[in-house]
């Protein structure tokens, strides 16, 4: 790639961020907030993908780094922003740096035990670390002392179980999306270098890469530090966007949701993580707005239809030995058939009074649909939607039947 | 006295044995749930996140069984008869059976189709099943207001009291004497009160009598406190004793099953090496099903006992925090190791009660993870587990 393409990419990226900002100004405040949060989730998912998907270190405590970034910068802004007299965006950039540094120090602390632990054990340590961070914030302020004898210092008041509020509001949508873009760019460019190959080799086989001269320890800790730094910067942006943050915003299930985004998008695929983050964030939000009650008959019919579709698709995947095109046609046919069955059943089941009278609120169903779609995607495509594929211009040209100019470009 | 030498403010060594008894009771439930995690992990190498939800459904099964047996909120006003041990047994068996069925269903339809897939995909499925049961359950189960099992279903309420050390005879004699004095002054004051106009407008004689009465009361209270401080009693709640006994019996059955039956041997073989076990003619599908049956039934037993004898209100998130702690207990003891899970659960529960005892109740939930990280740093395989060195 030459400098011209690079410059165009950078300009396009920054332009894209300002475009989002301009477009979102046309919507109400709640939609703007959703766009901002979607950007933060993209950052979180892509940065976890660096630890989890690319380096293969199983971390399920990513919300802890997000939390450290948010609380550090929230506290600093409350204390010092008024006196500093700095303009908002500059201060926000400074805070992003501060959040990133604090979170990456925490990443160092978590990364060090990863030298001894593997797989699920590491997962549990990261989970435990997340919980410890949350409990420390919930219990603040407290005195750090040796059994009440020697008092070292007092941990600052971070609002305890209630909110840390009155954080000065600095809402820069373009900065949020710029962070997401930068995060994607760093991960993508890392993979194109020799260092990036070292990350991948650690994921594939630790012992073999050790034998090839890769410093496995350093790679693991670096992955943790880079990943958590981005999460910390995202936390800084969240704190200044929301102006009030709660410990429960960063509970264990947030970590699980970020992990789900990574796995659902395809472990190791940056494109997948980013798109899955947007989709999975939007899905419950869209469902939350749906106030229309769903009758028991419709609900049951949809459940039966979905189960039928999953069973049929799995049959075509595992038992049917036709050509690729026939298989694809089979998938579409099974989806269509189950949709028709579900549609028919809706009328049949709603005729039963007991099912017709039982109604579910649409907003209460949102987490059920979320969990259901998780299981379904895992059942029919366990490697994630994008598997290990990435979006690239070469791929786009192939799809659009434009012949590449040279064979060397093909990846 | 130790606690006078150490400047630890809130630590009272007299209450320590009592706290330990409570800790062991909590540890029994942790152990039952941790066994399910550790057995499934041993065979499938899967963190079964849905196990906590199996526990939750077990608690609800116990609740519905209790309602069916006539202890529902509607029938309780008219209820006169006492419950019997048979009711408890029925609830226990119902929870265990229903949980076993749910565990098998989850394994058959969510985990088995994924078995050849990478482990992270199965893990995400487990998280999905867990979320589905939490939120889907909330659509059908009673959650608001959170119902709880009426304590009258348990005929064994109250506690056995064991006196560890009696207060000195001198103090007891003093107390008797002061009690007599207090009664006398009280009677005298009441007699005087009849002559007075009102309780708030006393003659000088009345005031003197009142002061004498208050003096006697104060002295009596002081001696009573002294007696309470010097005498040590151990209260053994009868419900918790049943819990411990039942857990012990279940553990013995489990031990017999795992060590001395063909199924148990097959289970241990599958846990040791899944692929080789299947080559040796072990039907691994059957073994996985049996593992889920045993693990889920134990969780059901734990859920029934927790919901009945401790009696916290039920929601569909009932299992979440306990599930995480039980899993931490399993890892602490060395995951895949059955005695390790029990040991880890006991260590964890006792550590938690000790933290509460030392006036750190707000750190109660953190201590589990602190111990876990500390142990894993020095012994990466857990307390009883062996960490294998990878050989090339």
């Amino acid at each position: 790639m030459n400098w011209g393409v690079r410059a165009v990419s950078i300009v396009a990226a920054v332009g894209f961020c300002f475009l989002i900002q301009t477009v979102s100004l046309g919507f109400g405040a709640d939609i703007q907030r959703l766009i901002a949060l979607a950007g933060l989730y993209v950052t979180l998912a892509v940065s976890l993908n660096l630890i989890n998907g690319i380096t293969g270190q199983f971390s399920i405590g990513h919300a802890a780094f997000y939390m450290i970034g948010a609380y550090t910068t929230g506290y600093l802004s409350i204390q010092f922003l008024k006196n500093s007299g700095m303009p908002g965006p500059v201060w926000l950039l400074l805070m992003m740096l501060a959040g990133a540094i604090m979170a990456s120090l925490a990443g160092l602390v978590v990364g060090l035990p990863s030298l001894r632990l593997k797989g699920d054990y590491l997962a549990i340590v990261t989970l435990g670390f997340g919980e410890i961070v949350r409990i420390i914030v919930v219990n603040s302020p407290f005195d750090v002392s040796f059994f009440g004898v020697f008092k070292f210092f007092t941990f600052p008041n971070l609002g305890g179980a209630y909110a840390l509020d009155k954080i000065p509001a600095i809402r820069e949508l373009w900065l949020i999306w710029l962070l997401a873009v930068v995060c994607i760019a760093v991960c993508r460019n890392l993979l194109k270098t020799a260092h990036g190959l070292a990350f991948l080799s650690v994921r594939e086989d630790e012992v073999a890469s050790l034998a090839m001269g890769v410093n496995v320890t350093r790679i693991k800790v670096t992955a943790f530090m880079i990943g958590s730094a981005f999460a910390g910067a995202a936390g800084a942006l969240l704190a200044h966007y929301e102006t009030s943050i709660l410990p429960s915003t960063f509970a264990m299930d947030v970590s699980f949701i970020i992990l789900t985004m990574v796995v659902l998008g395809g472990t190791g695929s940056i494109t997948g993580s980013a798109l899955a983050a947007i989709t999975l964030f939007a899905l419950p939000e869209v469902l939350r707005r749906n106030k229309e009650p769903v009758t028991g008959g419709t609900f049951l019919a949809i459940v039966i239809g979905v189960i039928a579709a999953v069973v049929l698709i799995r049959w075509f995947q595992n038992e049917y030995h036709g050509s690729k095109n026939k298989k694809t046609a089979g998938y579409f046919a099974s989806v269509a058939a189950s949709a028709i069955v579900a549609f028919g059943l809706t009328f049949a089941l709603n005729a039963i009074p007991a099912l017709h009278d039982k109604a579910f609120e649409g907003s209460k169903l949102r987490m059920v649909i979320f969990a259901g779609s998780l299981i379904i995607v895992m059942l029919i495509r366990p490697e994630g939607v994008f598997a290990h594929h990435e979006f690239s211009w070469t791929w786009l040209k192939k799809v659009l039947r434009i012949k590449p100019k040279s064979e060397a470009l093909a990846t | 006295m130790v606690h006078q030498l150490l400047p630890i403010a809130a630590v009272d060594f007299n209450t320590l044995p009592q706290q330990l008894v409570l800790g062991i009771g909590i540890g029994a439930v942790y152990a039952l749930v941790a066994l399910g995690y550790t057995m499934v992990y041993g065979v499938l190498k899967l963190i079964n996140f849905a196990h906590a939800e199996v526990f939750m459904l077990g608690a609800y099964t116990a609740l519905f069984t209790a309602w069916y047996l006539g202890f529902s909120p509607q029938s309780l006003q008219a209820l006169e008869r006492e419950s019997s041990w048979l009711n408890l047994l029925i609830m226990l068996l119902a929870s265990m059976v229903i949980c076993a069925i749910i565990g098998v269903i989850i394994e058959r339809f969510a985990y088995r189709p994924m078995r050849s897939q990478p482990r992270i995909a199965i893990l995400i499925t487990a998280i999905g099943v867990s979320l589905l049961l939490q939120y889907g359950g909330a659509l059908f189960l009673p959650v608001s207001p959170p119902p709880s099992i009426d304590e009258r279903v348990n005929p064994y309420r109250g506690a056995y009291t064991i006196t560890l050390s009696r207060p000195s005879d001198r103090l007891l004699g003093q107390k008797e004497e002061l009690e007599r004095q207090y009664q006398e002054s009280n009677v005298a004051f009441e007699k005087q009160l009849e002559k007075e106009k009102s309780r708030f407008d006393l003659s000088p004689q009345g005031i003197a009598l009142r002061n004498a009465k208050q003096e006697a009361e104060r002295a009596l209270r002081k001696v009573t406190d002294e007696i309470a401080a010097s005498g040590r009693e151990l209260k053994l709640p009868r419900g918790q004793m049943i819990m411990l006994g039942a857990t012990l019996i279940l553990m013995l059955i489990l031990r017999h099953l795992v060590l001395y039956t063909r199924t148990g041997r097959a289970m241990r073989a599958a846990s040791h090496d899944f692929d080789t076990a299947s080559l040796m003619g072990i039907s691994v599908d059957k073994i996985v099903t049996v593992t889920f049956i045993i693990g889920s039934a134990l969780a059901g037993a734990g859920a029934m006992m927790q919901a009945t004898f401790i009696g916290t209100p039920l929601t569909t998130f009932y299992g979440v925090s306990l599930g995480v702690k039980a899993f931490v207990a399993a890892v602490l003891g060395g995951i895949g190791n059955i005695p390790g899970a029990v040991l880890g659960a006991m260590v964890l529960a006792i550590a938690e009660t000790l933290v509460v005892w030392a006036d750190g109740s707000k750190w109660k939930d953190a201590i589990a993870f602190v111990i876990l990280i500390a142990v894993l740093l020095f012994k990466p395989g857990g307390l009883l587990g062996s960490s294998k060195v990878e050989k090339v």
Side-chain angles (χ1 to χ4, degrees):
Chain A
M1 199 192 280
N2 54 25
W3 281 104
V5 177
R6 216 166 276 189
V8 169
S9 307
I10 291 170
V11 170
V14 176
F16 165 73
C17 298
F18 278 100
L19 184 72
I20 285 184
Q21 163 123 337
T22 325
V23 168
S24 67
L25 282 181
F27 295 109
D30 53 336
I31 303 280
Q32 269 183 43
R33 179 171 167 270
L34 293 186
I35 293 173
L37 287 181
L40 293 179
Y41 270 102
V42 170
T43 314
L44 289 173
V46 174
S47 61
L48 182 63
N49 184 38
L50 179 67
I51 301 174
N52 232 320
I54 295 174
T55 323
Q57 300 304 301
F58 195 10
S59 160
I60 48 178
H62 210 53
F65 304 117
Y66 191 32
M67 184 174 200
I68 287 172
Y71 270 92
T72 309
T73 59
Y75 183 74
L76 288 178
S77 282
I78 291 173
Q79 297 289 321
F80 303 112
L81 177 59
K82 245 181 217 162
N83 301 334
S84 72
M86 257 188 254
V90 179
W91 176 261
L92 193 53
L93 275 172
L94 207 65
M95 283 297 102
M96 278 165 72
L97 193 67
I101 289 171
M102 278 302 284
S104 69
L105 284 179
L108 182 69
V109 172
V110 181
L112 287 176
S114 76
L115 315 178
R116 296 201 57 176
L117 302 174
K118 261 184 203 156
D120 297 331
Y121 283 94
L122 175 65
I124 295 311
V125 166
T126 52
L127 183 88
F129 175 76
E131 281 300 282
I132 289 173
V133 169
R134 199 174 59 82
I135 292 168
I136 285 177
V137 171
V138 167
N139 285 338
S140 71
F142 55 87
D143 293 332
V144 180
S145 59
F146 180 76
F147 289 107
V149 190
F150 308 107
K151 199 177 133 186
F152 300 123
F153 64 93
T154 302
F155 195 82
N157 185 2
L158 295 177
Y162 308 107
L164 176 69
D165 49 8
K166 300 197 181 70
I167 302 170
I170 310 172
R171 300 199 170 111
E172 302 291 347
L173 250 175
W174 63 274
L175 207 50
I176 289 173
W177 277 92
L178 189 64
L179 182 70
V181 171
V182 168
C183 186
I184 291 170
V186 165
C187 290
R188 183 213 167 263
N189 289 351
L190 188 69
L191 285 185
K192 300 277 170 189
T193 62
H195 294 291
L197 291 180
F199 281 77
L200 286 176
S201 77
V202 170
R203 173 182 78 183
E204 295 302 332
D205 194 330
E206 237 173 74
V207 180
S209 51
L210 198 66
M212 300 306 288
V214 174
N215 189 343
V216 174
T217 308
R218 225 180 91 187
I219 295 292
K220 281 184 188 173
V221 174
T222 316
F224 261 103
M225 287 181 74
I226 298 178
S228 45
F230 276 110
L237 287 167
L238 177 84
H240 292 89
Y241 197 90
E242 298 274 51
T243 71
S244 134
I245 41 180
L246 278 164
S248 59
T249 317
F250 309 94
M252 217 184 319
D253 41 347
V254 178
S255 296
F256 286 161
I257 288 175
I258 303 169
L259 178 69
T260 305
M261 289 165 177
V262 171
V263 177
L264 223 59
T267 319
S269 165
I270 299 167
T271 323
S273 303
L275 291 181
I278 295 173
T279 319
L280 282 191
F281 173 72
L283 180 66
E285 293 301 329
V286 171
L287 291 172
R288 195 206 293 275
R289 274 145 207 284
N290 180 17
K291 291 276 187 286
E292 230 172 273
V294 180
T295 65
T298 318
F299 183 66
L300 194 61
I302 293 172
V303 169
I304 291 173
V306 166
I307 291 174
V310 170
V311 169
L312 283 174
I313 289 177
R314 277 189 67 85
W315 185 83
F316 274 107
Q317 272 178 336
N318 299 329
E319 312 289 330
Y320 181 73
H321 302 290
S323 70
K324 206 180 168 189
N325 284 341
K326 273 188 185 165
K327 261 192 177 179
T328 318
Y331 299 154
F332 282 112
S334 45
V335 170
S338 2
I340 292 168
V341 168
F343 193 69
L345 275 177
T346 310
F347 294 106
L349 290 175
N350 275 330
I352 305 169
L355 285 175
H356 187 262
D357 295 341
K358 169 108 182 142
F360 301 107
E361 262 177 64
S363 55
K364 272 192 184 164
L365 288 176
R366 82 191 162 93
M367 284 309 283
V368 179
I369 296 173
F370 183 86
S373 46
L374 212 63
I375 300 173
I376 292 162
V377 174
M378 281 296 113
L379 280 174
I380 59 183
R381 199 169 160 82
E383 66 271 45
V385 175
F386 275 75
H388 53 273
H389 302 294
E390 294 285 0
F391 171 84
S392 66
W393 295 115
T394 332
W395 173 81
L396 192 68
K397 280 174 191 163
K398 217 194 249 169
V399 170
L400 298 177
R401 309 286 157 104
I402 301 168
K403 269 195 177 171
K405 276 176 193 162
S406 71
E407 288 301 312
L409 263 175
T411 45
Chain B
M1 297 295 275
V2 192
H3 66 270
Q4 282 165 353
L5 295 176
L6 277 172
I8 304 173
V11 172
D12 178 3
F13 279 87
N14 285 333
T15 59
L16 184 58
Q18 182 69 58
Q19 292 294 334
L20 286 180
V21 168
L22 295 178
I24 292 171
I26 297 168
V29 176
Y30 283 0
L32 286 174
V33 183
L35 281 171
Y37 277 112
T38 218
M39 287 168 72
V40 168
Y41 189 91
V43 175
L44 281 185
K45 301 285 174 286
L46 158 74
I47 304 176
N48 183 10
F49 275 107
H51 196 58
E53 275 56 53
V54 172
F55 178 85
M56 177 271 287
L57 291 172
Y60 267 103
T61 309
L63 176 79
F64 292 141
T65 317
W67 285 2
Y68 180 75
L69 291 171
F71 292 87
S72 69
Q74 292 84 27
S75 62
L76 270 177
Q77 282 92 6
L79 190 76
E80 291 297 329
R81 70 195 165 86
E82 265 294 306
S83 179
S84 78
W85 61 273
L86 205 59
N87 286 348
L88 291 181
L89 192 65
I90 293 171
M91 283 163 69
L92 183 72
L93 289 180
S95 288
M96 289 176 73
V97 169
I98 298 286
C99 280
I101 293 171
I102 293 167
V104 169
I105 291 175
I106 292 174
E107 192 274 324
R108 179 64 190 80
F109 293 105
Y111 299 156
R112 191 173 296 178
M114 307 285 297
R115 205 175 288 160
S116 57
Q117 302 301 336
R119 280 169 52 203
I120 192 162
I122 315 181
L123 192 83
I124 296 293
T125 314
I127 293 175
V129 172
S130 161
L131 288 176
L132 189 69
L133 290 177
Q134 278 169 17
Y135 290 94
L139 295 178
F140 302 102
L141 297 170
V143 283
S144 62
S148 59
I149 297 179
D150 195 274
E151 63 163 6
R152 272 173 285 180
V153 79
N154 172 18
Y156 307 102
R157 298 192 292 275
Y160 302 108
T161 309
I162 298 174
T163 315
L164 291 181
S165 67
R166 293 176 59 81
S168 68
D169 289 341
R170 186 183 58 80
L171 276 174
L172 288 175
Q174 228 175 7
K175 188 186 172 192
E176 236 166 65
E177 171 68 22
L178 284 168
E179 247 168 13
R180 200 179 46 77
Q181 275 180 20
Y182 171 69
Q183 292 298 338
E184 274 173 11
S185 62
N186 199 15
V187 169
F189 177 66
E190 291 295 327
K191 261 185 192 164
Q192 176 69 21
L193 204 61
E194 281 166 18
K195 294 175 203 159
E196 301 279 345
K197 276 176 284 179
S198 86
R199 191 173 278 265
F200 306 103
D201 186 17
L202 296 173
S203 62
Q205 202 193 355
I207 292 176
L209 278 175
R210 190 191 62 189
N211 287 348
K213 179 195 140 188
Q214 285 173 349
E215 194 75 15
E217 196 179 349
R218 216 169 288 145
L220 177 65
R221 198 173 293 156
K222 195 180 158 204
V223 171
T224 316
D225 285 350
E226 251 173 69
I227 288 174
S230 65
R232 284 186 208 168
E233 281 182 343
L234 198 55
K235 283 209 165 76
L236 305 178
R238 294 168 80 186
Q240 290 221 355
M241 292 301 108
I242 298 173
M243 256 162 81
L244 272 180
T247 308
L248 214 61
I249 293 169
L250 289 172
M251 301 271 176
L252 287 177
I253 295 174
L254 178 72
R255 184 184 144 80
H256 177 80
L257 216 64
V258 173
L259 289 183
Y260 302 113
T261 60
R262 282 179 70 85
T263 319
R265 197 187 301 162
M267 207 186 285
R268 278 181 288 146
S271 167
H272 190 72
D273 191 329
F274 197 81
D275 297 331
T276 315
S278 69
L279 290 177
M280 295 295 142
I282 293 170
S283 162
V284 283
D285 280 350
K286 208 179 107 193
I287 292 306
V288 170
T289 309
V290 171
T291 309
F292 269 84
I293 288 177
I294 295 174
S296 307
L298 290 177
M304 177 266 165
M305 292 198 270
Q306 165 114 343
T308 310
F309 297 122
I310 298 176
T312 37
L314 302 180
T315 66
T316 48
F317 299 96
Y318 191 62
V320 175
S321 81
L322 192 133
V324 171
K325 277 179 195 160
F327 180 64
V328 166
V331 179
L332 187 64
I335 196 153
N337 185 317
I338 290 176
V342 181
L343 177 72
M346 285 300 167
V347 168
L348 206 65
I350 289 174
E352 274 185 0
T353 46
L354 285 185
V355 167
V356 175
W357 168 71
D359 200 31
S361 52
K362 57 184 191 174
W363 299 106
K364 179 172 169 262
D365 292 332
I367 193 71
F369 296 108
V370 171
I371 293 178
L372 176 79
I373 292 175
V375 168
L376 287 190
L377 285 184
F378 293 105
K379 225 173 164 313
L383 288 175
L384 295 187
S386 59
S387 62
K388 278 175 230 144
V389 178
E390 200 172 330
K391 289 186 188 131
V392 187

